[in-house]
Amino acid sequence: MMKPLLQVEGLVTEIGGARVVDGVSFHIAVGETYALLGESGSGKSMTALSLMRLLPEGGRLAAGSIVLGDTDVRALPERAMRDVRGGGMAMIFQEPMLALNPVVTVGSQIVEVLARHRGLAGRPARAAALALLEAVGVPDADRRLDSYPFELSGGLRQRAMIAMALAGEPKLLIADEPTTALDVTIQAQVLDVLRRLKAARQMGMLLITHDLGVVAGNADRVGVMYAGELVEEGVRDAFFASPQHPYSRMLFAALPRPGDGGRLTTIPGQVPRLDADFRGCRFAPRCPHAQDRCRTESPGWQTLGAQHVRCHFAGSLPAAAARSAGTQRVVQAAEPLLAVDGLKVHFPIRRGLIQRTVGHVRAVDDVSLAIEAGRTLALVGESGCGKTTVGKALLRLIEPTAGRIVLDGEPVAAGSLAKLRRQAQMVFQDPCSSLNPRMRVADILLEGMDALNVGTPAERRGAVARLLAQVGLPDDAGSRYPHAFSGGQRQRIAIARALAVSPRLVICDEPTSALDVSVQAQILNLLRDLQDALGLAYLFITHNLAVVEYLAHEVAVMYLGRIVEHGAAADVLRAPRHPYTQALVSAVPRLEPGAGEGIIRLAGDQPSPLNPPTGCHFHPRCAHASAACRETYPAPTDLGDGHWVRCHWVAAQRT
């Protein structure tokens, strides 16, 4: 056996009194991708920071060894460690906007790495930086060198960070959640870049993620981490064919699957605090198979074929239970609760001393849709297409430029906002930002009821306990502040706040985008339960198409401010007709290894809504574009059963 590129043995990392990484051992070979999988708080990112010796204040490597090639990383003085960072191993951080310097151009940041590790300066350094941006697929790379991070899209910022990480020609690349919150199309592009560069440079890669689909398409071996420990490890194909640890199995069961409308499996509780005094198996409090031995005796490693499992009963656990069958939710045809016709939101661009209007950003440009009570319409598309602006305009949080909005048979006007707030509420993407950190949960829930005079004061106080129980939070949650809760619990608080005034329509803006699959399953089950019990209508804004197929009845696909395809969820997602929808669906990560080979690669980035292309807005990126596409915007083509598409190519096929 060849000597591994990276060998980690018995790694222990402490921060204060907590062992955030506890006895972790693994290795990575040259050219191999090792995926570290698990929920937030399990210690994945802290493992990566330990390898780079970039621990936060108060953190220390307490035990274990880290050997990169022939170099003992733990034994190096800090001066020598600076050569290893970026040269021996480099890291792509989870949030590029925080990791990139906002006041320094992208080119200057790459050149800094080139000067440190390759001794380049001046024109040779700029030429090398340009070559790196081109290698990672940044369009118009020469201009982007002089751009600041805020001038780039999320996908381009991630590529710029990859270019910076590669500038020192590292042997090992650590990618910490490199595609979290990216659109599926951008995610596919970024992962494709990483695969191509890894193969060309024969790098090893440590891929940290909670997305099983990303692991299936990119990893050679998988390690599952829980509460600071590795609990399962094995080659990818064996792991996906038959995960052995109960935790691994429950992660798989929590995923929405195409065509499966059954209730999602959830993992009770949450990852324990890492400063706890652990006894026995750390997963035992959440494990459906736990016995007395599990609570008193820490399990050792067992080998089952190509997999290694830390579980007392590995190999003898019952087969995974089938998911409960989904019930067909039939809603009688009725007048739409919400009807939107010709909605436009144009933001003026003003310049000069007198702030003269010189143009408009056409964020939403002629959108029409309808939602019936008890049904869910999913609005999907890439970031920047106008989805969130539609949601805010419906609630008049942003004033529409044009269009007609009818809610429960009455037009929504500026003078009837109180009634609108009673009928429609919004759950925002980030509960950390949308919940007031200085207010207790009970006060957050009471705020909307007080403002809209819902019931008597006594009835409002009684409603708080009912709302907390309705969203699955404990009775004492009302007396606590938002920071005392996990991400999933904060999202439940945001949902309870939306329900406090008994709305009939709830607009959900990416409510599960940053959640682990286990927490996502809890929120999706909750949303379906509330819809069935209360007859709520949802406008569900998202770019996660797996979630769409589980929750939505209908789908509207949006591109550059306009809806390009609309129909029943099963029709649109299983047989997409618009080339843009086909690209979105093809880019969704699948659990089957090798399933990403049929991804449709879109050329370039989404154009600016400040100056949209003439004709069909999608034609600069479409493989089927013709002269008609460049000249006129396509009219709707009816495909039957409420399924329609705006596409000249599809219309030509129908004639």
Side-chain angles (χ1 to χ4, degrees), residues 224-226 229-233 245 247 301 308-310:
V224 181
M225 202 164 182
Y226 184 79
E229 293 183 329
L230 276 175
V231 296
E232 182 167 0
E233 186 181 62
H245 197 281
Y247 178 56
W301 286 101
H308 306 284
V309 189
R310 181 173 283 183

Side-chain angles (χ1 to χ4, degrees), residues 242-265:
S242 179
Q244 295 297 323
H245 197 281
Y247 178 56
S248 306
R249 291 185 175 189
M250 295 179 82
L251 288 178
F252 275 92
L255 285 174
R257 305 289 181 90
D260 181 2
R263 190 171 182 79
L264 299 175
T265 299

Side-chain angles (χ1 to χ4, degrees), residues 348-364:
I349 304 296
R350 295 187 173 93
R351 290 179 184 162
L353 288 174
I354 61 172
Q355 292 292 286
R356 183 169 57 90
T357 299
V358 296
H360 287 86
V361 174
R362 299 172 180 268
V364 179

Side-chain angles (χ1 to χ4, degrees), residues 343-348 360-366 399-402:
L343 181 67
K344 295 183 180 181
V345 181
H346 296 176
F347 297 107
H360 287 86
V361 174
R362 299 172 180 268
V364 179
D365 202 16
D366 196 13
E399 197 61 27
T401 305

Side-chain angles (χ1 to χ4, degrees), residues 505-518:
L505 169 69
V506 178
I507 299 171
C508 302
D509 186 11
E510 299 274 12
T512 63
S513 64
L515 300 179
D516 296 318
V517 291
S518 56

Side-chain angles (χ1 to χ4, degrees), residues 41 46 49 106 113 167 174 187 300 347 364-365 376 440 444 469 539:
M46 203 54 64
L49 293 174
V106 168
V113 181
I174 302 172
Q187 173 178 269
F347 297 107
V364 179
D365 202 16
T376 300
R440 289 184 171 87
I444 290 172
L539 176 64

Side-chain angles (χ1 to χ4, degrees), residues 336-628:
L337 174 67
L338 173 73
V340 181
D341 184 38
L343 181 67
K344 295 183 180 181
V345 181
H346 296 176
F347 297 107
I349 304 296
R350 295 187 173 93
R351 290 179 184 162
L353 288 174
I354 61 172
Q355 292 292 286
R356 183 169 57 90
T357 299
V358 296
H360 287 86
V361 174
R362 299 172 180 268
V364 179
D365 202 16
D366 196 13
V367 164
S368 299
L369 52 85
I371 312 175
E372 297 170 6
R375 292 180 68 84
T376 300
L377 171 67
L379 195 58
V380 304
E382 293 174 289
S383 297
C385 71
K387 306 186 302 294
T388 297
T389 306
V390 168
K392 290 182 176 179
L394 296 181
L395 293 181
R396 301 191 85 96
L397 299 175
I398 294 174
E399 197 61 27
T401 305
R404 177 179 169 85
I405 304 170
V406 177
L407 183 62
D408 198 20
E410 295 187 18
V412 173
S416 60
L417 292 186
K419 184 173 182 180
L420 173 64
R421 299 287 183 262
R422 283 293 305 267
Q423 296 272 25
Q425 285 286 311
M426 192 164 187
V427 178
F428 295 91
Q429 179 172 356
D430 182 6
C432 251
S433 300
S434 64
L435 298 176
N436 190 329
R438 295 181 177 87
M439 292 176 68
R440 289 184 171 87
V441 169
D443 296 327
I444 290 172
L445 301 186
L446 286 168
E447 186 178 31
M449 291 188 278
D450 291 341
L452 296 172
N453 294 315
V454 177
T456 65
E459 288 172 338
R460 294 172 204 163
R461 287 192 294 272
V464 170
R466 175 181 56 79
L467 286 164
L468 292 175
Q470 204 167 36
V471 300
L473 289 172
D475 294 340
D476 65 349
S479 61
R480 295 151 65 188
Y481 291 92
H483 68 80
F485 298 88
S486 67
Q489 289 174 320
R490 281 195 291 265
Q491 198 60 284
R492 288 172 182 264
I493 295 168
I495 293 170
R497 177 179 61 182
L499 296 176
V501 296
S502 301
R504 299 185 64 194
L505 169 69
V506 178
I507 299 171
C508 302
D509 186 11
E510 299 274 12
T512 63
S513 64
L515 300 179
D516 296 318
V517 291
S518 56
V519 181
Q520 173 184 273
Q522 296 171 10
I523 298 301
L524 292 178
N525 284 341
L526 173 63
L527 289 173
R528 281 190 59 166
D529 291 345
L530 291 171
Q531 185 172 62
D532 292 341
L534 304 175
L536 296 172
Y538 292 138
L539 176 64
F540 196 86
I541 298 168
T542 185
H543 62 253
N544 188 334
L545 297 187
V547 168
V548 169
E549 187 161 4
Y550 173 77
L551 190 67
H553 299 91
E554 296 174 86
V555 177
V557 182
M558 201 166 175
Y559 185 79
L560 210 63
R562 298 183 178 181
I563 293 175
V564 298
E565 185 164 3
H566 180 284
D571 293 339
V572 173
L573 298 181
R574 297 181 200 173
R577 299 299 302 276
H578 196 282
Y580 177 60
T581 313
Q582 291 174 349
L584 288 179
V585 172
S586 75
V588 175
R590 311 290 182 187
L591 292 188
E592 302 79 17
E597 296 173 0
I599 294 175
I600 298 171
R601 316 290 177 184
L602 294 179
D605 292 317
Q606 186 172 241
S608 169
L610 177 62
N611 185 26
T614 58
C616 174
H617 293 347
F618 186 62
H619 84 257
R621 306 174 74 189
C622 181
H624 306 288
S626 64

